[in-house]
């Protein structure tokens, strides 16, 4: 089960710098956080989670394998992309295939770096990008609407209704993520890969001296994001580039702490992107490896088992379950079992974030 986020933004906002820092960081941490490049613009990074290292220490695991997130660096967007300007069609094709959007927004002054619109205004920049996304979705919806109307099939009432109300909604300048849909409409919408239905994390790129506090632009972006039920984080691409080339972990930690930060901005971006997708982490831990796995919130135990192997889901019997807190408090699996903290959960069990599982199944 793979999940991915596409990085978008206007030219000269720090998008490529952040992506390069992220891939350098991932490559440097290959011992703990596996990284690979599928194409030049796609990187797979480990999701930072200190719980995994705690479990590995207790279980004396030989290997540590984090859960992963795919980051896709999508070509810089310009006004008119929906009409094919710049790398328009290529950009839009790549972003349709992602699960969520990391929208990099310039919130810094620097006379050496030209802004495509001549001055700093993050809300205007966001709206330029999102207008292109809405225009692209409008085009897709109108094409589909023509096809449905031609068929003149009364069984396509749900599709017809969804298409009409989505077009009306977009034409008022609103993203489809805010459009209320019925269950049937949701199912149809999922088949269309519409860009403006995807959740968004706004990533505010600031100067080095503003990374701990943000600035008046980041506050505006935060309010804008909250009004849409999306998230925002503040990072400095310049700082992340410096952190990425540091080999010594203690030096890296000291540098991050000296900036008034608990962790790197990229760690927050990766984790926020993960949370944006309504995912949760469960674990398996033993002498061979401690491993984090990903499933959707509200997933049931057999679905989680299927993330590890389809045979586990097909032949699911039960899940030996220990909460992360109990696993740590009682010194591992045997201590938790002895304290009566291991539960046998069946097919209807809803997975909690941090559950440590051992699945029983029939082959």
């Amino acid at each position: 089960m793979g999940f991915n986020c596409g990085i978008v933004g206007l030219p000269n906002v720090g998008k490529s710098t952040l992506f390069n820092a992220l891939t350098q960081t991932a490559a440097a941490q290959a011992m703990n956080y596996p990284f690979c490049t599928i194409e030049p613009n796609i990187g797979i990074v480990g999701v930072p989670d200190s719980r995994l290292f705690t479990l590995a220490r207790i279980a004396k695991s030989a290997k540590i394998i984090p859960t992963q997130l795919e980051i896709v660096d999508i070509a810089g967007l310009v006004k008119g992309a929906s009409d094919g300007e710049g790398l328009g069609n290529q950009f839009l094709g790549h972003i349709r295939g992602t699960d969520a959007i990391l929208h990099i927004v310039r919130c810094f002054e620097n006379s050496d770096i030209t802004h495509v619109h001549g001055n700093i205004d993050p809300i205007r920049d966001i709206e330029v990008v999102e207008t292109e996304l809405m225009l692209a979705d409008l085009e897709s919806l109108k094409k589909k609407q023509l096809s449905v109307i031609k068929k003149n099939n009364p069984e396509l009432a749900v599709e017809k209704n969804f298409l009409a109300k989505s077009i009306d909604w977009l034409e008022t300048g609103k993203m489809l993520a805010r459009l209320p849909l019925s269950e049937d409409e949701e199912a149809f919408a999922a088949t269309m890969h519409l860009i403006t239905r995807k959740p968004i994390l706004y990533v505010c790129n600031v100067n080095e001296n503003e990374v701990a506090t943000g600035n008046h632009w980041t506050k505006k972006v935060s309010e804008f994001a909250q009004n849409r039920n999306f998230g925002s984080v503040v990072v400095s691409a310049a700082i992340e580039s410096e952190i990425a080339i540091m080999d010594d972990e203690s030096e890296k930690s000291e540098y991050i702490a000296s900036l008034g930060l608990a962790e790197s901005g990229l760690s927050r971006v990766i984790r926020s992107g993960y949370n944006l997708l309504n995912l949760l982490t469960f674990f398996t831990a033993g002498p061979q490896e401690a491993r984090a796995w990903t499933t959707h919130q509200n997933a049931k135990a057999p679905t989680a088992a299927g993330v590890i192997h389809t045979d586990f889901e097909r032949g699911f019997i039960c899940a030996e379950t220990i909460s992360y807190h109990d696993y740590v408090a009682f010194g591992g699996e045997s201590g938790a079992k002895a304290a009566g903290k291991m539960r046998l959960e069946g097919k209807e069990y809803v997975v909690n974030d941090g559950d440590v599982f051992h699945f029983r199944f029939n082959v």
Side-chain angles (χ1 to χ4, degrees):
M1 185 184 294
F3 299 95
N4 58 29
C5 295
I7 298 182
V8 307
L10 293 172
N12 296 338
V13 296
K15 188 169 64 69
S16 295
T17 306
L18 278 169
F19 180 77
N20 291 339
L22 187 136
T23 54
Q24 282 175 309
T25 301
Q29 292 181 340
M31 290 294 288
N32 291 330
Y33 283 86
F35 162 78
C36 66
T37 301
I38 301 169
E39 293 175 16
N41 67 331
I42 300 178
I44 295 177
V45 295
V47 177
D49 194 328
S50 60
R51 295 176 298 179
L52 183 59
F53 294 92
T54 303
L55 291 174
R57 179 175 48 76
I58 294 168
K60 297 182 171 58
S61 307
K63 283 168 68 180
I64 297 173
I65 305 174
T67 193
Q68 297 174 332
L69 191 66
E70 187 176 283
I71 308 290
V72 184
D73 182 24
I74 292 161
L77 185 63
V78 295
K79 194 171 181 178
S82 55
D83 294 323
E85 289 294 321
L87 294 170
N89 293 335
Q90 182 183 332
F91 164 90
L92 296 166
H94 281 152
I95 200 170
R96 283 192 199 286
T98 63
D99 299 307
I101 297 171
L102 304 179
H103 188 159
I104 315 299
V105 188
R106 179 167 169 175
C107 294
F108 67 89
E109 288 277 13
N110 186 329
S111 56
D112 294 332
I113 303 173
T114 307
H115 190 291
V116 288
H117 295 133
N119 68 317
I120 310 302
D121 184 344
I123 304 303
R124 175 206 56 206
D125 293 351
I126 288 170
E127 288 173 346
V128 166
V129 170
E130 292 185 351
T131 296
E132 295 304 319
L133 304 184
M134 287 189 278
L135 288 170
D137 276 352
L138 260 178
E139 186 184 356
S140 297
L141 289 162
K142 285 180 176 177
K143 277 184 186 170
K144 187 70 175 177
Q145 190 181 46
L146 280 174
S147 155
V148 168
I149 288 168
K150 276 181 188 172
K151 288 176 183 170
N152 196 25
N153 183 345
E155 291 181 9
L156 297 176
V158 169
E159 289 86 341
K160 238 182 209 178
N161 188 49
F162 166 75
L163 292 164
K165 77 180 190 182
S166 295
I167 289 167
D168 287 347
W169 188 266
L170 283 171
E171 286 180 338
T172 64
K174 291 181 285 193
M175 305 274 276
L176 290 175
R178 303 171 76 190
L179 174 63
L181 298 176
S182 70
E183 201 173 313
D184 288 342
E185 288 168 343
E186 284 279 3
F188 175 65
T191 68
M192 289 203 65
H193 305 291
L194 295 160
I195 304 169
T196 64
R197 291 191 76 243
K198 300 178 190 295
I200 300 172
L201 177 71
Y202 299 103
V203 181
C204 301
N205 186 15
V206 300
N207 284 320
E208 294 95 317
N209 61 338
E210 296 172 323
V211 70
T213 58
N215 57 36
H216 67 285
W217 288 312
T218 65
K219 288 179 177 62
K220 284 183 180 178
V221 174
S222 175
E223 287 167 12
F224 184 87
Q226 284 171 20
N227 287 337
R228 295 175 161 213
N229 293 321
F230 290 147
S232 68
V233 294
V234 175
V235 302
S236 166
I239 286 173
E240 298 307 321
S241 295
E242 288 178 36
I243 293 170
I245 58 174
M246 291 182 183
D247 294 326
D248 187 284
E249 285 302 317
S250 60
E251 180 193 352
K252 196 178 286 190
S253 298
E254 281 174 25
Y255 178 57
I256 291 168
S258 74
L259 298 165
L261 303 173
E263 60 182 344
S264 75
L266 287 179
S267 290
R268 282 183 286 116
V269 169
I270 295 165
R271 192 165 43 252
S272 297
Y274 186 80
N275 293 337
L276 190 67
L277 292 165
N278 292 321
L279 304 175
L280 59 76
T281 302
F282 65 92
F283 301 99
T284 52
Q288 288 190 323
E289 66 178 36
R291 186 161 184 163
W293 305 86
T294 297
T295 191
H296 281 289
Q297 289 176 18
N298 299 317
K300 292 184 177 175
T303 303
V307 172
I308 299 174
H309 199 289
T310 50
D311 286 350
F312 287 20
E313 182 171 12
R314 230 182 348 253
F316 180 89
I317 299 170
C318 67
E320 295 180 2
T321 310
I322 304 168
S323 74
Y324 170 78
H325 174 76
D326 287 339
Y327 192 99
V328 173
F330 294 97
E333 186 178 325
S334 56
K337 278 183 181 176
K341 296 296 182 180
M342 191 200 80
R343 313 181 306 275
L344 291 181
E345 300 288 2
K347 291 183 178 182
E348 293 305 307
Y349 176 69
V350 176
V351 179
N352 286 307
D353 187 67
D355 279 344
V356 184
F357 283 129
H358 177 74
F359 293 108
R360 293 186 191 173
F361 64 101
N362 286 318
V363 180

